[in-house]
Amino acid sequence: MSLAVQLAGLRLKNPLIAASGTFGYGVEYEGILDLSRLGGIVSKGLYLEPRDGCAVPRIVETPSGLLNAIGLQGVGIRAFVRDVLPRLDGYDTAVIVNVCGDTVEEYAEVARIAEAPGVDALEINISCPNVKKGGMAFGGDPRMTHEVVAAVRKATRLPVIPKLSPNVADVTVFARVCEEAGADALSCINTLLGLAVDVERRMPRLAFGTGGLSGPAIRPVAVRMAWQAARAVRIPVIGIGGIASAEDALEFLIAGCRAVQIGTANFVDPGVYSRILAGLEDYLRRHGRESINDVVGSLRFPDAEETGGGGC
Ligand SMILES: Cc1cc2nc3c(=O)[nH]c(=O)nc-3n(C[C@H](O)[C@H](O)[C@H](O)COP(=O)(O)O)c2cc1C
């Protein structure tokens, strides 16, 4: 039985990847789990320079979810390459750098520096809702999306994986724009823009005001968007949003995703990877399948034409 997947020219030993911002730079989890068991690790978002991020409070719990406005705190790409990357060297897992920028030029420069030995791919963060420049401002505009992805494509030989925002009306427009601009795969989705109110103080509960919603609360939205994106493009899609069990991961894989990322669940239970891997193997056994790839995109609709609406 095989859990290995091919993605953007990479071979991952299994389809489970730690999501950006929820797994530090990987090394923080060294003593807690064996990093070599993971298909891959995505770093926290990295700019050219170190950043402090937003004022606290930066995290609020909501029903089945987490609202965060960290504001892309980070050590900067040079410190990551110099200090962190050598520590990941001994692990048999794909290392993916989450690339950020305030300008198109900054994205390209971070990508250039990130092309260091030990880095396997770049995830382009054009979808963070918690910054005043860059982030969602780029990922919410097809023209800017194209510009950023094309600039990063030109700056590196590494696989380029734009991370799509759910805060758009039609995710397929952005998926196609990224493919046209030279992306090798897509990550889908980042957090949903939200607002939690402290009714006693009549103020937002996060210091930044709004935040990004993650966790099980967003999973049906994420599965729908990943499914739409996977149907719209030929490049592979990595599904992200609310995954905490093998069944959750399978929803995305069956909907057409080649791999998945696990985010908020890392804060709840770092043992989530072992549980999901065991669950995926059990699923393959029960369904008489040899490879996880046999499951990818196997979603069947009762009526193939009836795929767009529902809900009223
Ligand atoms: C605290 C926190 C920090 C995050 N930081 C980043 C980041 O730096 N870059 C990025 O692309 N996504 C970031 N994300 C988004 C996650 O990678 C992921 O797309 C999102 O949380 C949905 O997945 P989940 O429901 O499994 O958490 C962050 C999410 C959380 C909760």
Side-chain angles (χ1 to χ4, degrees), residues 11 19 40 71 76 95 133 138 141 162 167 183 238-239 296:
R11 184 184 182 278
V95 174
K133 286 188 276 178
F138 285 161
D141 176 338
N167 305 303
I238 305 171
V296 169

Side-chain angles (χ1 to χ4, degrees), residues 19-22 44-45 59 66 68 70 72 98 123 125 163 189-191 214-215 218 240-243 261-265 267:
S20 180
T22 64
K44 173 69 187 162
I59 281 190
L66 184 72
N68 93 81
I70 306 295
L72 292 171
N98 188 263
E123 181 174 74
N125 183 358
K163 184 163 175 180
I189 56 174
N190 209 314
T191 52
S214 62
I218 72 168
I240 319 168
I243 296 174
Q261 291 184 16
I262 295 162
T264 302
F267 300 135

